Amino acid sequence: MPRSARRPPAVILAPQEVEKMRVVGRFAAWILDQVEGLVRPGVTTGEIDRLVARLTHERGGVCAPLGYPKGSRHPFPKHCCTSVNHVVCHGIPSDQHVLKEGDIVNVDVTPILDGYYGDTSRTFLVGEVDPEARRLVEDTFECMRRGIAAVRPGAHVGDIGAAIVEYAHARGHSVVTQFAGHGIGRIFHGPPTISHAGRRGQGLELRPGMTFTVEPMINMGDWRCQILADHWTAVTVDHSLSAQFEHTVTVTEDGVEVLTLGEGRTLALD
Ligand code: MF3
Ligand code: CO
Ligand code: CO
């Protein structure tokens, strides 16, 4: 069998499958809307996890993070990721972790409905947050927005990361390269890898139906991270603040559709 048959270069979905992704994507966004209503000083990340689990199960869905990846010696133990302050990603929710005024917390959810995965995250402000941290969060959202705006048929995967890294550096931040966006559909993490620090014109050419995440992690200091002894929690090496936003998107005939926006929401792409 040719190599390309065993390892397709990208998750490419048919129109009926994109419709399933719209359903789960809208649901994932709605879950984050509910989480937003819970986040305040005094709430634990364990409570956030239970809310995500309950809402997903009530709808007949499955939380992809729980037990991921299958067969691993260290499967992820909770239903979503909660990454606070200097935690870059994959923070593990805990009843012992109480959110306090001034924290920033990324909540990353991935429900599965009817076999399709919707992956999205937002960084929330806990009470009153320092202007510097707020600026990081706003700039990280703008990094994601610019990355998504670079998606269209004929563009290259590298264009996405180029748009992100240029803006992040212009704002004085650094871009995490240890984690990346990924193809998604009936699998959680598929090809292609979407680097958030790419080079224009480099990498796979985008085609309609290609479906993947754009999920830049942006640090106020050093771009490097390390994984804690729990095998999951990624933290900045210098303990500087880190923020992240994530959407699942699909390439259309003439541009991009964001699948995890939620009912009645828009993202200005020009
Ligand atoms: N949702 C994360 C992503 O954006 C992956 C989390 S994997 C987990 O790709 F096991 F930590 F949940
Ligand atoms: Co995610
Ligand atoms: Co993802």
Tab-separated table of all heavy atoms in Angstrom, residues 118-164:
chain	number	residue	atom	x	y	z
A	118	GLY	N	-16.039	18.145	18.691
A	118	GLY	CA	-15.999	19.617	18.628
A	118	GLY	C	-15.049	20.137	19.683
A	118	GLY	O	-15.293	19.963	20.876
A	119	ASP	N	-13.960	20.771	19.264
A	119	ASP	CA	-12.861	21.140	20.161
A	119	ASP	C	-12.752	22.665	20.219
A	119	ASP	O	-12.491	23.307	19.191
A	119	ASP	CB	-11.569	20.509	19.600
A	119	ASP	CG	-10.386	20.584	20.535
A	119	ASP	OD1	-10.526	21.090	21.663
A	119	ASP	OD2	-9.293	20.104	20.121
A	120	THR	N	-12.958	23.228	21.396
A	120	THR	CA	-12.873	24.694	21.518
A	120	THR	C	-12.473	25.092	22.931
A	120	THR	O	-12.766	24.374	23.891
A	120	THR	CB	-14.220	25.362	21.123
A	120	THR	OG1	-14.086	26.783	21.155
A	120	THR	CG2	-15.360	24.948	22.041
A	121	SER	N	-11.786	26.207	23.038
A	121	SER	CA	-11.407	26.710	24.359
A	121	SER	C	-11.432	28.228	24.375
A	121	SER	O	-11.292	28.883	23.331
A	121	SER	CB	-10.024	26.193	24.768
A	121	SER	OG	-8.983	26.994	24.235
A	122	ARG	N	-11.624	28.770	25.570
A	122	ARG	CA	-11.550	30.219	25.779
A	122	ARG	C	-10.798	30.469	27.078
A	122	ARG	O	-10.871	29.657	28.004
A	122	ARG	CB	-12.942	30.850	25.927
A	122	ARG	CG	-13.838	30.705	24.725
A	122	ARG	CD	-15.229	31.303	25.007
A	122	ARG	NE	-16.204	30.728	24.088
A	122	ARG	CZ	-17.517	30.684	24.306
A	122	ARG	NH1	-18.012	31.176	25.431
A	122	ARG	NH2	-18.331	30.142	23.424
A	123	THR	N	-10.131	31.608	27.167
A	123	THR	CA	-9.511	32.026	28.423
A	123	THR	C	-10.409	33.063	29.077
A	123	THR	O	-10.733	34.088	28.468
A	123	THR	CB	-8.102	32.587	28.177
A	123	THR	OG1	-7.291	31.544	27.604
A	123	THR	CG2	-7.463	33.054	29.479
A	124	PHE	N	-10.834	32.746	30.299
A	124	PHE	CA	-11.737	33.616	31.057
A	124	PHE	C	-10.953	34.415	32.105
A	124	PHE	O	-9.937	33.942	32.636
A	124	PHE	CB	-12.802	32.780	31.775
A	124	PHE	CG	-13.666	31.971	30.844
A	124	PHE	CD1	-13.538	30.584	30.788
A	124	PHE	CD2	-14.597	32.584	30.016
A	124	PHE	CE1	-14.330	29.818	29.923
A	124	PHE	CE2	-15.397	31.835	29.157
A	124	PHE	CZ	-15.263	30.450	29.102
A	125	LEU	N	-11.465	35.615	32.406
A	125	LEU	CA	-10.890	36.441	33.464
A	125	LEU	C	-11.658	36.153	34.751
A	125	LEU	O	-12.886	36.084	34.748
A	125	LEU	CB	-11.041	37.921	33.110
A	125	LEU	CG	-10.531	38.357	31.730
A	125	LEU	CD1	-10.826	39.849	31.505
A	125	LEU	CD2	-9.035	38.087	31.589
A	126	VAL	N	-10.928	35.976	35.857
A	126	VAL	CA	-11.565	35.716	37.149
A	126	VAL	C	-11.607	37.026	37.935
A	126	VAL	O	-10.570	37.495	38.411
A	126	VAL	CB	-10.808	34.619	37.931
A	126	VAL	CG1	-11.527	34.323	39.246
A	126	VAL	CG2	-10.643	33.363	37.089
A	127	GLY	N	-12.799	37.620	38.030
A	127	GLY	CA	-12.936	38.907	38.719
A	127	GLY	C	-12.121	39.984	38.025
A	127	GLY	O	-11.997	39.996	36.799
A	128	GLU	N	-11.545	40.893	38.817
A	128	GLU	CA	-10.715	41.977	38.275
A	128	GLU	C	-9.324	41.440	37.963
A	128	GLU	O	-8.679	40.856	38.840
A	128	GLU	CB	-10.606	43.118	39.295
A	128	GLU	CG	-11.778	44.077	39.287
A	128	GLU	CD	-11.986	44.747	37.925
A	128	GLU	OE1	-11.013	45.275	37.345
A	128	GLU	OE2	-13.136	44.731	37.441
A	129	VAL	N	-8.873	41.642	36.731
A	129	VAL	CA	-7.579	41.110	36.298
A	129	VAL	C	-6.667	42.275	35.905
A	129	VAL	O	-7.118	43.250	35.296
A	129	VAL	CB	-7.789	40.140	35.111
A	129	VAL	CG1	-6.471	39.743	34.477
A	129	VAL	CG2	-8.554	38.901	35.585
A	130	ASP	N	-5.375	42.158	36.244
A	130	ASP	CA	-4.371	43.190	35.899
A	130	ASP	C	-4.430	43.524	34.417
A	130	ASP	O	-4.603	42.632	33.589
A	130	ASP	CB	-2.956	42.656	36.176
A	130	ASP	CG	-2.603	42.709	37.643
A	130	ASP	OD1	-3.382	43.325	38.399
A	130	ASP	OD2	-1.568	42.136	38.007
A	131	PRO	N	-4.196	44.799	34.075
A	131	PRO	CA	-4.199	45.215	32.667
A	131	PRO	C	-3.230	44.401	31.803
A	131	PRO	O	-3.551	44.082	30.663
A	131	PRO	CB	-3.763	46.690	32.728
A	131	PRO	CG	-4.096	47.144	34.098
A	131	PRO	CD	-4.030	45.948	34.993
A	132	GLU	N	-2.057	44.071	32.340
A	132	GLU	CA	-1.062	43.309	31.575
A	132	GLU	C	-1.582	41.930	31.181
A	132	GLU	O	-1.392	41.462	30.058
A	132	GLU	CB	0.206	43.111	32.430
A	132	GLU	CG	1.145	44.256	32.402
A	132	GLU	CD	1.811	44.404	31.045
A	132	GLU	OE1	2.839	43.742	30.815
A	132	GLU	OE2	1.282	45.173	30.206
A	133	ALA	N	-2.238	41.273	32.123
A	133	ALA	CA	-2.782	39.938	31.866
A	133	ALA	C	-3.958	40.023	30.902
A	133	ALA	O	-4.124	39.189	30.014
A	133	ALA	CB	-3.203	39.284	33.172
A	134	ARG	N	-4.766	41.090	31.073
A	134	ARG	CA	-5.910	41.290	30.172
A	134	ARG	C	-5.434	41.505	28.750
A	134	ARG	O	-5.996	40.985	27.793
A	134	ARG	CB	-6.716	42.507	30.642
A	134	ARG	CG	-8.081	42.096	31.145
A	134	ARG	CD	-8.871	43.163	31.832
A	134	ARG	NE	-8.544	44.531	31.549
A	134	ARG	CZ	-8.456	45.483	32.478
A	134	ARG	NH1	-8.678	45.180	33.754
A	134	ARG	NH2	-8.155	46.725	32.149
A	135	ARG	N	-4.356	42.264	28.638
A	135	ARG	CA	-3.777	42.528	27.317
A	135	ARG	C	-3.310	41.219	26.680
A	135	ARG	O	-3.535	40.987	25.482
A	135	ARG	CB	-2.607	43.506	27.480
A	135	ARG	CG	-1.870	43.864	26.194
A	135	ARG	CD	-0.822	44.943	26.493
A	135	ARG	NE	-0.058	45.329	25.322
A	135	ARG	CZ	1.056	44.714	24.910
A	135	ARG	NH1	1.519	43.671	25.581
A	135	ARG	NH2	1.681	45.144	23.828
A	136	LEU	N	-2.672	40.343	27.465
A	136	LEU	CA	-2.237	39.048	26.926
A	136	LEU	C	-3.431	38.253	26.405
A	136	LEU	O	-3.381	37.671	25.313
A	136	LEU	CB	-1.506	38.236	27.999
A	136	LEU	CG	-1.148	36.801	27.566
A	136	LEU	CD1	0.002	36.816	26.564
A	136	LEU	CD2	-0.807	35.921	28.771
A	137	VAL	N	-4.513	38.238	27.179
A	137	VAL	CA	-5.696	37.459	26.788
A	137	VAL	C	-6.303	38.030	25.495
A	137	VAL	O	-6.630	37.292	24.561
A	137	VAL	CB	-6.729	37.426	27.936
A	137	VAL	CG1	-8.040	36.794	27.490
A	137	VAL	CG2	-6.154	36.667	29.142
A	138	GLU	N	-6.425	39.360	25.438
A	138	GLU	CA	-6.969	39.994	24.225
A	138	GLU	C	-6.078	39.740	23.017
A	138	GLU	O	-6.559	39.439	21.918
A	138	GLU	CB	-7.106	41.515	24.441
A	138	GLU	CG	-8.310	41.887	25.301
A	138	GLU	CD	-8.195	43.289	25.903
A	138	GLU	OE1	-7.354	44.093	25.431
A	138	GLU	OE2	-8.946	43.573	26.861
A	139	ASP	N	-4.766	39.831	23.213
A	139	ASP	CA	-3.832	39.609	22.099
A	139	ASP	C	-3.880	38.157	21.630
A	139	ASP	O	-3.718	37.872	20.436
A	139	ASP	CB	-2.403	39.964	22.526
A	139	ASP	CG	-2.231	41.468	22.764
A	139	ASP	OD1	-3.126	42.241	22.360
A	139	ASP	OD2	-1.203	41.847	23.355
A	140	THR	N	-4.095	37.239	22.557
A	140	THR	CA	-4.157	35.817	22.190
A	140	THR	C	-5.400	35.534	21.353
A	140	THR	O	-5.357	34.797	20.365
A	140	THR	CB	-4.139	34.942	23.451
A	140	THR	OG1	-2.954	35.236	24.197
A	140	THR	CG2	-4.171	33.463	23.098
A	141	PHE	N	-6.513	36.191	21.736
A	141	PHE	CA	-7.726	36.054	20.918
A	141	PHE	C	-7.470	36.582	19.509
A	141	PHE	O	-7.843	35.952	18.505
A	141	PHE	CB	-8.903	36.805	21.552
A	141	PHE	CG	-10.174	36.653	20.777
A	141	PHE	CD1	-10.995	35.553	20.979
A	141	PHE	CD2	-10.523	37.574	19.798
A	141	PHE	CE1	-12.158	35.389	20.234
A	141	PHE	CE2	-11.679	37.420	19.046
A	141	PHE	CZ	-12.494	36.325	19.266
A	142	GLU	N	-6.793	37.708	19.436
A	142	GLU	CA	-6.497	38.314	18.126
A	142	GLU	C	-5.550	37.414	17.313
A	142	GLU	O	-5.692	37.317	16.092
A	142	GLU	CB	-5.914	39.715	18.322
A	142	GLU	CG	-5.523	40.451	17.056
A	142	GLU	CD	-6.679	40.756	16.109
A	142	GLU	OE1	-7.858	40.586	16.485
A	142	GLU	OE2	-6.390	41.146	14.957
A	143	CYS	N	-4.619	36.743	17.990
A	143	CYS	CA	-3.750	35.770	17.298
A	143	CYS	C	-4.601	34.677	16.656
A	143	CYS	O	-4.415	34.327	15.484
A	143	CYS	CB	-2.760	35.138	18.274
A	143	CYS	SG	-1.341	36.178	18.674
A	144	MET	N	-5.543	34.135	17.445
A	144	MET	CA	-6.413	33.092	16.898
A	144	MET	C	-7.223	33.637	15.731
A	144	MET	O	-7.344	32.991	14.688
A	144	MET	CB	-7.344	32.553	17.975
A	144	MET	CG	-8.312	31.497	17.436
A	144	MET	SD	-9.658	31.102	18.547
A	144	MET	CE	-10.534	32.662	18.593
A	145	ARG	N	-7.774	34.829	15.885
A	145	ARG	CA	-8.613	35.412	14.837
A	145	ARG	C	-7.804	35.601	13.548
A	145	ARG	O	-8.270	35.263	12.458
A	145	ARG	CB	-9.178	36.763	15.292
A	145	ARG	CG	-10.307	37.296	14.423
A	145	ARG	CD	-10.590	38.768	14.677
A	145	ARG	NE	-9.488	39.616	14.250
A	145	ARG	CZ	-9.209	39.926	12.986
A	145	ARG	NH1	-9.953	39.476	12.005
A	145	ARG	NH2	-8.164	40.686	12.698
A	146	ARG	N	-6.590	36.088	13.678
A	146	ARG	CA	-5.757	36.292	12.490
A	146	ARG	C	-5.355	34.963	11.851
A	146	ARG	O	-5.265	34.860	10.627
A	146	ARG	CB	-4.511	37.111	12.844
A	146	ARG	CG	-4.846	38.562	13.100
A	146	ARG	CD	-3.616	39.364	13.502
A	146	ARG	NE	-4.007	40.750	13.760
A	146	ARG	CZ	-3.390	41.807	13.252
A	146	ARG	NH1	-2.324	41.667	12.487
A	146	ARG	NH2	-3.813	43.018	13.528
A	147	GLY	N	-5.099	33.959	12.686
A	147	GLY	CA	-4.775	32.631	12.152
A	147	GLY	C	-5.935	32.073	11.340
A	147	GLY	O	-5.751	31.563	10.229
A	148	ILE	N	-7.150	32.201	11.887
A	148	ILE	CA	-8.336	31.692	11.191
A	148	ILE	C	-8.573	32.488	9.900
A	148	ILE	O	-8.953	31.921	8.867
A	148	ILE	CB	-9.573	31.743	12.117
A	148	ILE	CG1	-9.399	30.758	13.282
A	148	ILE	CG2	-10.854	31.447	11.345
A	148	ILE	CD1	-10.467	30.878	14.377
A	149	ALA	N	-8.315	33.800	9.952
A	149	ALA	CA	-8.546	34.653	8.777
A	149	ALA	C	-7.617	34.284	7.618
A	149	ALA	O	-7.886	34.636	6.466
A	149	ALA	CB	-8.377	36.119	9.157
A	150	ALA	N	-6.530	33.576	7.914
A	150	ALA	CA	-5.585	33.168	6.864
A	150	ALA	C	-6.042	31.894	6.146
A	150	ALA	O	-5.425	31.479	5.164
A	150	ALA	CB	-4.192	32.951	7.473
A	151	VAL	N	-7.122	31.272	6.628
A	151	VAL	CA	-7.574	29.989	6.077
A	151	VAL	C	-8.466	30.214	4.853
A	151	VAL	O	-9.482	30.914	4.944
A	151	VAL	CB	-8.340	29.176	7.155
A	151	VAL	CG1	-8.888	27.887	6.564
A	151	VAL	CG2	-7.434	28.886	8.353
A	152	ARG	N	-8.093	29.644	3.729
A	152	ARG	CA	-8.913	29.644	2.509
A	152	ARG	C	-8.312	28.632	1.544
A	152	ARG	O	-7.127	28.275	1.692
A	152	ARG	CB	-8.944	31.037	1.870
A	152	ARG	CG	-7.609	31.520	1.330
A	152	ARG	CD	-7.728	32.900	0.722
A	152	ARG	NE	-7.952	33.912	1.735
A	152	ARG	CZ	-6.967	34.520	2.406
A	152	ARG	NH1	-5.704	34.224	2.171
A	152	ARG	NH2	-7.242	35.426	3.329
A	153	PRO	N	-9.093	28.145	0.570
A	153	PRO	CA	-8.533	27.193	-0.383
A	153	PRO	C	-7.356	27.836	-1.120
A	153	PRO	O	-7.440	28.999	-1.502
A	153	PRO	CB	-9.690	26.918	-1.359
A	153	PRO	CG	-10.914	27.409	-0.698
A	153	PRO	CD	-10.511	28.474	0.257
A	154	GLY	N	-6.271	27.072	-1.275
A	154	GLY	CA	-5.090	27.588	-1.968
A	154	GLY	C	-4.069	28.206	-1.025
A	154	GLY	O	-2.904	28.344	-1.389
A	155	ALA	N	-4.503	28.576	0.198
A	155	ALA	CA	-3.533	29.033	1.194
A	155	ALA	C	-2.781	27.811	1.712
A	155	ALA	O	-3.150	26.668	1.417
A	155	ALA	CB	-4.241	29.749	2.338
A	156	HIS	N	-1.720	28.053	2.470
A	156	HIS	CA	-0.917	26.958	3.012
A	156	HIS	C	-1.031	26.947	4.532
A	156	HIS	O	-1.282	27.984	5.154
A	156	HIS	CB	0.534	27.100	2.574
A	156	HIS	CG	0.721	26.901	1.099
A	156	HIS	ND1	1.242	25.742	0.566
A	156	HIS	CD2	0.397	27.691	0.057
A	156	HIS	CE1	1.249	25.838	-0.747
A	156	HIS	NE2	0.746	27.016	-1.097
A	157	VAL	N	-0.814	25.758	5.096
A	157	VAL	CA	-0.871	25.618	6.559
A	157	VAL	C	0.060	26.632	7.224
A	157	VAL	O	-0.282	27.222	8.251
A	157	VAL	CB	-0.512	24.169	6.966
A	157	VAL	CG1	-0.092	24.103	8.416
A	157	VAL	CG2	-1.708	23.245	6.727
A	158	GLY	N	1.224	26.872	6.619
A	158	GLY	CA	2.193	27.806	7.196
A	158	GLY	C	1.691	29.235	7.290
A	158	GLY	O	2.179	30.024	8.114
A	159	ASP	N	0.721	29.596	6.460
A	159	ASP	CA	0.168	30.956	6.493
A	159	ASP	C	-0.529	31.241	7.820
A	159	ASP	O	-0.563	32.384	8.287
A	159	ASP	CB	-0.847	31.166	5.358
A	159	ASP	CG	-0.236	30.967	3.977
A	159	ASP	OD1	1.000	30.874	3.882
A	159	ASP	OD2	-1.011	30.891	2.997
A	160	ILE	N	-1.122	30.193	8.399
A	160	ILE	CA	-1.865	30.347	9.655
A	160	ILE	C	-0.893	30.738	10.771
A	160	ILE	O	-1.075	31.751	11.459
A	160	ILE	CB	-2.603	29.034	10.009
A	160	ILE	CG1	-3.590	28.653	8.895
A	160	ILE	CG2	-3.293	29.155	11.366
A	160	ILE	CD1	-4.138	27.221	9.015
A	161	GLY	N	0.149	29.922	10.924
A	161	GLY	CA	1.127	30.185	11.981
A	161	GLY	C	1.911	31.465	11.746
A	161	GLY	O	2.316	32.139	12.700
A	162	ALA	N	2.118	31.809	10.485
A	162	ALA	CA	2.843	33.060	10.182
A	162	ALA	C	2.031	34.252	10.680
A	162	ALA	O	2.571	35.161	11.318
A	162	ALA	CB	3.105	33.169	8.679
A	163	ALA	N	0.721	34.237	10.412
A	163	ALA	CA	-0.144	35.341	10.863
A	163	ALA	C	-0.120	35.439	12.383
A	163	ALA	O	-0.095	36.545	12.951
A	163	ALA	CB	-1.570	35.119	10.362
A	164	ILE	N	-0.114	34.293	13.045
A	164	ILE	CA	-0.144	34.266	14.517
A	164	ILE	C	1.171	34.781	15.104
A	164	ILE	O	1.182	35.665	15.963
A	164	ILE	CB	-0.454	32.838	15.016
A	164	ILE	CG1	-1.909	32.478	14.678
A	164	ILE	CG2	-0.189	32.719	16.515
A	164	ILE	CD1	-2.248	31.005	14.843
